[in-house]
Amino acid sequence: MTTDAFLADCRARLAFDLLSNTWNAVVLWALRDEPRRPVELRERIGGISSKVLNETLRRLQFNGLVDRRSPPDAPSRVEYELTALGRTLLQPIDAVGAWAFEYGDEVMAAQEAACTPAPQASPPSSDQSTA
């Protein structure tokens, strides 16, 4: 790896951009076991609107990470499944999840400390004489 690995238009930044979206990794993880319909994904994930889920699925499809298909037995039904390329991201997603499980409390403590105002020093009292 060169020292320019994280500069513009590099492959490392491409990977971080894919994983930095709030929902990309969550949707990929939810598809890890089997193809799912959008309604099943929403139930499994929780907290994601239909609009955001559809945008995320389109983005993942555009990047070659998921396929959209209609099962032959139900042509009006749509399912999404991971591509072989999408499956290659499961291990890094799992590693980030393991890191978050191990260090998440420390990150939250640092965030809380940063949001807590520092105690202010008391002003000197006026009855003290100066030497």
Side-chain angles (χ1 to χ4, degrees):
M1 182 184 287
T2 69
T3 58
D4 295 337
F6 295 101
L7 296 180
D9 299 329
C10 73
R11 291 183 176 150
R13 279 189 50 187
L14 171 71
F16 283 113
D17 286 346
L18 286 172
L19 293 178
S20 67
N21 177 279
T22 303
W23 295 108
N24 284 357
V26 175
V27 171
L28 290 170
W29 193 254
L31 288 169
R32 74 187 180 281
D33 295 325
E34 61 187 344
R36 295 193 188 274
R37 296 174 55 210
V39 69
E40 294 171 325
L41 284 170
R42 281 193 63 218
E43 290 170 2
R44 186 168 176 88
I45 293 169
I48 188 170
S49 70
S50 294
K51 177 185 176 204
V52 171
L53 177 60
N54 287 332
E55 289 170 355
T56 303
L57 288 165
R58 283 188 198 115
R59 183 174 41 254
L60 293 172
Q61 186 179 8
F62 175 80
N63 285 293
L65 303 175
V66 300
D67 276 334
R68 179 182 191 259
R69 65 184 184 117
S70 296
D73 60 331
S76 63
R77 197 171 98 184
V78 174
E79 291 181 335
Y80 291 88
E81 65 181 330
L82 290 178
T83 62
L85 181 60
R87 291 199 166 282
T88 65
L89 279 174
L90 293 178
Q91 186 176 2
I93 291 168
D94 188 44
V96 170
W99 180 90
F101 184 78
E102 185 169 345
Y103 298 105
D105 289 340
E106 290 180 50
V107 172
M108 289 189 299
Q111 290 172 350
E112 187 176 317
C115 292
T116 304
Q120 297 197 355
S122 301
S125 67
S126 59
D127 64 339
Q128 293 179 350
S129 60
T130 56

